[in-house]
Amino acid sequence: SSETVVFGTTVRLLDLESDENKSYTLVGQEEADLKNGSISVQSPIGRALISHRVGDIVLVNRPVGTIEYEIQEIYFQD
């Protein structure tokens, strides 16, 4: 497990608007594949998550508005 979100961690998030859980693994730009849950650390979500901890609320600015996520879990996949 990891205490903070860093490159290579998988993050389970709660979308505070829709109350849905989402999981993303932070990877490099070349490895990003949203369909498989891998996002670039340079993406808006990736940049917002870096260095945050479980329980933190992060705001992600998107063209259609801001979305709030609560970080539920941070871990390295096997």
Side-chain angles (χ1 to χ4, degrees), residues 34 39 53 61 65 69 71-72:
L34 187 57
I39 60 170
R53 298 174 177 270
N61 295 315
Y69 292 109
I71 299 174
Q72 302 284 300

Side-chain angles (χ1 to χ4, degrees), residues 8 25 31-32 35 64 73:
T25 301
E31 301 157 326
K35 288 183 182 180
V64 294
E73 185 177 10

Side-chain angles (χ1 to χ4, degrees), residues 1-69:
S1 70
S2 179
E3 289 190 24
T4 59
V5 179
V6 295
F7 181 89
T9 54
T10 297
V11 184
R12 187 170 53 84
L13 305 169
L14 175 63
D15 180 329
L16 295 177
E17 183 176 310
S18 68
D19 208 32
E20 291 180 39
N21 284 304
K22 301 178 182 207
S23 290
Y24 298 112
T25 301
L26 278 75
V27 297
Q29 187 73 32
E30 309 79 38
E31 301 157 326
D33 182 359
L34 187 57
K35 288 183 182 180
N36 290 316
S38 298
I39 60 170
S40 168
V41 293
Q42 298 170 344
S43 70
I45 296 173
R47 287 193 313 264
L49 292 173
I50 288 293
S51 299
H52 283 277
R53 298 174 177 270
V54 170
D56 286 355
I57 305 293
V58 294
L59 302 176
V60 179
N61 295 315
R62 305 174 305 162
V64 294
T66 301
I67 190 164
E68 288 182 294
Y69 292 109

